[in-house]
Amino acid sequence: MSDVPERSAVEPVVLERALRDLAVPIALLDGADPHLPVVWVNRAFEVSTGYDAADARRHQRDPVPPGARRPDALLAVREAVRERREVTQTLSLRRADGSVYTCLVHLSPLVDADDRITHWVAALQDLTERISHDAAQSALVAAERRERRALGIVAQVSDLLMDVDDRMTPLHEIATLLCDTIVGWARFYVNDGGLRPADGIDSNHPPSGKGRRHGAPTRSVEPGADTTPGPDAVQMLLDGVKDRPVELPLDGWFPRGSASSWLAAHVHAQGPHELVDGAARAAVFSVSGRRRVLGLLVVLPRAGRGLDGLEQSARTVLELTARRVGLVIDNARLYDREHRLAETLQRAMLPQQADVDGLDVWTYYAPNSENVQVGGDWYDVLQISPDVVGVVIGDVVGHDVEAAAAMGQLRSVVRSYAYDITIPGPVLERVDQLVAGMRIPRSAGLVLSTLTRSGGSWRLDYSRAGHLPVLHVREGEVIALMEGGGPLIGFGGEGRSTQTLALEPGDVLVYYTDGLIERRDRGLREGIDALTEVVGGVTARDSAGIGEEILSRLADHPEDDVAVVVVRVPDPRDHLERGRSPRRRRWSLPSEPSSIGRARHAVVRTCHAWDMPNAANAELVVSELVANAVLHGFGHVSLQLYDTGDGLRIEVEDGNPAPPIATDGHPGRVGGFGIKIVERLADWGWRPSARGKLVWAKVRPGDLPPSAR
């Protein structure tokens, strides 16, 4: 017999009370009526809907607003009632206050002993809170997705801006990126003496700057239209009067010749028809540098409603893009100005290579590219008198403008005293005294030497002030001239000595700075030994060939500025062994018009030294190529000459990657005639290089064509 007490039956009153107090809204529907009228509800139902049983029955068939109707769910409920089975569906119900809410309805039949459905029990679950929570979560997910997309766009813009320069090559790519992601159309405009498209399209009628006319509008005005000029908001943005984005109605009427009028006409002509037709409004963002507005970013939202058509995340992306473009462009221009200033300063302080009577002299200077094209190394070759030549090479500590300024001061002082006193030791003593009084902030070392001609021979006098020794080469034997040494300039209080060496025909002197030989993995002593070995193995019979061979073996990856001077005493036997020369020459020229004449002079001298006929052809080709590099390129110009055995190969390198273009007779195209001349005289081509581009030409043998003279 079981010990579990027998449970008593639950009284109906208790069941009714339990259902009435249940927290879940419950309604009992009459199963005998096909319309299932409500016959009973519990308290939770009354609280949730505001209806008691009578009110619920009376308003049971009230329609809900069309937007809240769920016809598929109602159809499923009717189908389940007809099939006498349970059903659960999401329905929209109306409360007593007229509001509509969403709830989950579970409908179950009550069957009597005769298998008849007497009632249906409807249990309701209010989904309002869950839907609100889901909507909030969806909104958060959408916001996070927009933020991620915005960050991705900004990151891509940053990647594109890594290659920006003053010519703004990546701006078209950035505008394309914006079009592909957040706006319908985008373009950058440059404020550089007036507005113009940054990619150079449609620049036939560019505006001419602040306070000047920008050309008349090109769009016609409908009869009866309001022609009252609106404010020139674009000019206010360019002038810095406004610092927030502005809207530009493309169908607006602006003052004649205003920036807004010109820009609206340009955007109307260039933008997609589906965006510019009607009452489209462009959004204009300023591209600002540190001190002025450099340009504009103009976009057409896909909705065509100006700033109102942009989501906040899209607007943030556009503002960040415009700001970053402005700062990067400003930095690029500032760097370019400093770079050109430093390079001009450095080149101005170095002498132009010139012929020295009775000696074969070759000079070379290259700053370390990491040091903004400026440093403290220098050289000087002085024709003091017809029979006296001075050669100086020195190095000021540092790689900045201050070092270059100190170098310029020292060079001027040494030059002045060398013309007055031709003995190196006393010259350096005077320099010591003056430098101590001038308080030059940088220490410096140098070698000063004079070569004096007496009859048919030369004598070398030299003195060193804390600088590396000159190498003397005779018949393949290399000797470092260690004598005549002393402390750095400004520290020589006990006088300077002068050493003398008689030179013979064929002797070579190599002056250099530490950038040629010093590396992180070796010291100066090892560097001098390496240079000695290279110089001893040189086979060239002229100073340029010797210098080029030294550079090819030692100056491929310099870690500092490099200055080299090679002086050779001519030997009457040179013409017998000229074939031993490597037949390669190189010059580094500043990007200025005077370099064209220097290049012409250099190629003529080289052709004569190599016994190459028809130097006039090569001179004209070099003149045209260097002129193109100076006029259309940027950065210093590299000129190289090669004797290929069947002609002269010329290579000119500059920092502009754009290829040279020959004129094709187009009336609007300027320039390109020089390439036509080159085509008459040589086979030519070009290729990209690490710095920009390299244009080469191989001069054909033969006389100069009459049409090219």
Side-chain angles (χ1 to χ4, degrees), residues 447-647:
V447 174
L448 172 61
S449 63
T450 56
L451 293 94
T452 305
R453 178 167 49 188
S454 178
S457 62
W458 290 85
R459 182 187 77 249
L460 172 69
D461 298 305
Y462 65 94
S463 181
R464 292 191 303 118
H467 197 76
L468 298 171
V470 179
L471 298 185
H472 172 237
V473 187
R474 177 178 294 171
E475 300 294 339
E477 182 180 358
V478 183
I479 299 175
L481 303 181
M482 304 294 296
E483 296 79 8
L488 295 172
I489 289 296
F491 299 93
E494 299 181 358
R496 301 280 187 176
S497 63
T498 301
Q499 296 296 318
T500 301
L501 175 67
L503 301 177
E504 298 179 0
D507 282 5
V508 177
L509 300 172
V510 180
Y511 303 75
Y512 55 95
T513 56
D514 56 2
L516 179 66
I517 60 174
E518 190 174 21
R519 299 292 184 271
R520 292 184 178 91
D521 57 349
R522 72 184 182 199
L524 285 177
R525 183 68 263 174
E526 291 82 0
I528 294 176
D529 292 341
L531 177 60
T532 300
E533 181 179 356
V534 169
V535 172
V538 169
T539 60
R541 305 296 294 181
D542 61 314
S543 63
I546 296 169
E548 289 293 341
E549 193 164 341
I550 293 173
L551 292 179
S552 65
R553 297 183 60 181
L554 290 177
D556 50 347
H557 298 291
E559 298 173 1
D560 200 351
D561 306 336
V562 176
V564 182
V565 178
V566 178
V567 179
R568 185 175 184 275
V569 179
D571 189 338
R573 299 169 296 174
D574 288 345
H575 68 281
L576 300 176
E577 302 183 19
R578 192 176 301 278
R580 297 172 61 190
S581 171
R583 301 284 192 165
R584 184 166 69 94
R585 300 291 182 269
R586 177 173 58 185
W587 292 265
S588 182
L589 308 171
S591 183
E592 56 188 35
S594 62
S595 296
I596 303 172
R598 181 181 175 187
R600 294 170 65 113
H601 183 67
V603 72
V604 169
R605 287 195 306 152
T606 301
C607 288
H608 290 166
W610 290 350
D611 289 335
M612 300 189 74
N614 304 316
N617 295 25
E619 180 185 8
L620 190 52
V621 170
V622 165
S623 177
E624 296 298 337
L625 295 184
V626 174
N628 284 339
V630 170
L631 295 176
H632 306 295
F634 42 84
H636 69 275
V637 179
S638 174
L639 168 64
Q640 299 190 64
L641 304 178
Y642 299 88
D643 181 4
T644 63
D646 60 348

Side-chain angles (χ1 to χ4, degrees), residues 54 113 136 172 333 338 374 410 412 421 428 498 531 542 545 589 609 686:
H172 179 71
R333 290 183 173 182
E338 292 180 349
V374 66
L410 281 177
S412 298
I421 308 171
L428 294 187
T498 301
L531 177 60
D542 61 314
L589 308 171
W686 76 281

Side-chain angles (χ1 to χ4, degrees), residues 225-242:
D226 182 11
T227 58
T228 303
D232 192 358
V234 172
Q235 190 65 56
M236 296 171 68
L237 203 62
L238 292 173
D239 296 342
V241 176
K242 290 188 175 183

Side-chain angles (χ1 to χ4, degrees), residues 253-274:
W253 186 252
F254 304 100
R256 183 180 179 86
S258 66
S260 295
S261 175
W262 184 89
L263 187 60
H266 191 277
V267 174
H268 196 280
Q270 297 295 323
H273 295 295
E274 64 273 13

Side-chain angles (χ1 to χ4, degrees), residues 339-362:
H339 181 93
R340 291 177 181 272
L341 174 63
E343 185 179 49
T344 301
L345 175 63
Q346 185 78 54
R347 295 292 175 184
M349 292 179 178
L350 293 175
Q352 298 292 324
Q353 181 177 343
D355 286 334
V356 177
D357 186 23
L359 293 173
D360 182 11
V361 179
W362 177 88

